């Protein structure tokens, strides 16, 4: 499914990735956007650049935490989260060795393997509702 990128700087960031990363990165973008569609409390998603990387965060303040898409290394794509959250720790508890992680900041995916869509969708929803869910559990 091709989804239009309205932000020209975000589009340039995807096009600046090595060619073999572009299709998996755009597939990851599509998963982020579709995972967020039912999260009404976010007020929608802002698609911007943070640290030169495509970033997705709730329009409404203090609802959730941003997720970013970036090339991790020569074989892996990363889905990055705020390292000051407990998100990656939560993902490790939920998904264990099913996924690969980079410290407390990212989930990484081999670009030659299918993306774990269910895990990504759940992780994106958790990130985009991170602050809201933390408030409701306190």
């Amino acid at each position: 499914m091709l989804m239009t990128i309205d932000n020209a700087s975000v589009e340039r960031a995807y096009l600046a990735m090595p060619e073999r990363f572009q299709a998996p990165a755009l597939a990851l973008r599509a998963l982020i956007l579709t995972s967020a569609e039912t999260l009404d409390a976010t007020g929608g998603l802002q698609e911007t650049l943070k640290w030169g990387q495509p970033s997705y965060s709730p329009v409404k303040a203090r609802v959730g935490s941003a997720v970013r898409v970036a090339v991790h290394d020569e074989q892996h794509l990363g889905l990055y989260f705020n390292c000051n959250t407990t998100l990656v720790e939560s993902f490790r508890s939920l998904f264990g060795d099913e996924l690969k992680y980079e410290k407390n900041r990212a989930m990484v995916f081999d670009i030659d393997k299918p993306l774990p869509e269910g895990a990504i969708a759940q992780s994106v929803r958790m990130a985009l509702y991170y602050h809201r869910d933390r408030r409701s559990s306190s």
Side-chain angles (χ1 to χ4, degrees):
M1 167 182 15
L2 181 62
M3 297 181 164
T4 304
I5 301 176
D6 293 329
N7 184 318
S9 60
V10 170
E11 182 176 30
R12 282 191 299 274
Y14 280 108
L15 293 174
M17 292 178 182
E19 189 174 337
R20 60 192 226 119
F21 282 89
Q22 291 177 17
L26 290 169
L28 187 53
R29 174 186 182 265
L31 279 169
I32 292 167
L33 296 177
T34 56
S35 298
E37 284 177 350
T38 61
L39 302 179
D40 295 334
T42 63
L45 278 189
Q46 293 179 13
E47 183 174 39
T48 60
L49 285 185
K50 289 192 179 168
W51 299 284
Q53 302 165 337
S55 176
Y56 303 86
S57 56
V59 170
K60 290 184 181 175
R62 296 179 297 281
V63 172
S65 184
V67 296
R68 293 178 289 119
V69 176
V71 173
H72 180 72
D73 60 28
E74 59 278 344
Q75 187 60 38
H76 296 91
L77 189 61
L79 184 59
Y80 289 82
F81 303 89
N82 184 323
C83 62
N84 294 316
T85 67
T86 59
L87 285 163
V88 175
E89 180 183 319
S90 296
F91 305 152
R92 278 191 178 97
S93 295
L94 282 171
F95 308 116
D97 293 338
E98 176 185 336
L99 300 176
K100 184 177 176 183
Y101 310 93
E102 171 65 28
K103 300 180 184 178
N104 65 338
R105 65 188 192 120
M107 299 166 70
V108 294
F109 312 104
D110 186 318
I111 60 168
D112 293 328
K113 295 182 179 173
L115 290 171
E117 294 182 10
I120 291 169
Q122 186 173 355
S123 301
V124 166
R125 287 190 295 268
M126 289 171 66
L128 296 176
Y129 269 3
Y130 181 75
H131 298 297
R132 184 194 82 135
D133 289 349
R134 286 180 52 92
R135 281 192 305 272
S136 65
S137 66
S138 0

